[in-house]
Amino acid sequence: MAPTKKTMLFVCLLVAAVAVVVPVAQGNAHKSISLITGKLFCTLNGNGTASSPPFPNASVQLRCGSGNGKLFETAKTNSTGQFSILEKNLPYTVAQVLSGCRVVVATPFKKCNSTLPAIGTVASKLTLNPTPVVGPKNVTIYKAVNFKRL
């Protein structure tokens, strides 16, 4: 599925915002900055199609490591279910992020649809964003896709 114009605009605006932050952050000697984006739907597993309702105001967490993993950052989805996490202190290589980090949805899905379960967690592994983005070279953009129930 090709990204929509709105999604492309959203990612471009995020990269532009990062471009403004990077010169300030470089003084802190961060190796790289990770930008994680995704979209959460109000469905049993968090995945959906263009006609699926979004999951607004859901808390999502960036976690890395085995078990529950270490919590690095949290974010909220917007009214369209989209989220972005900007992490400046991720001490992992790209390969380690792809194999050991995930986005976990902390808000019960019952909050967006009373017929969905009140318990249960969904998580998504990360992929590299396939869309070429012009921006600072030390920003790696990941995308959370294919949420699964844990």
Side-chain angles (χ1 to χ4, degrees), residues 31-77:
K31 290 183 182 176
S32 69
I33 296 174
S34 299
L35 176 65
I36 298 99
T37 65
K39 183 168 184 173
L40 188 63
F41 293 93
C42 187
T43 60
L44 186 60
N45 63 3
N47 299 311
T49 64
S51 62
S52 301
F55 190 165
N57 294 319
S59 176
V60 293
Q61 303 172 339
L62 174 62
R63 292 187 169 270
C64 298
S66 60
N68 285 335
K70 179 180 177 183
L71 174 63
F72 279 91
E73 193 64 60
T74 61
K76 290 257 187 205
T77 58

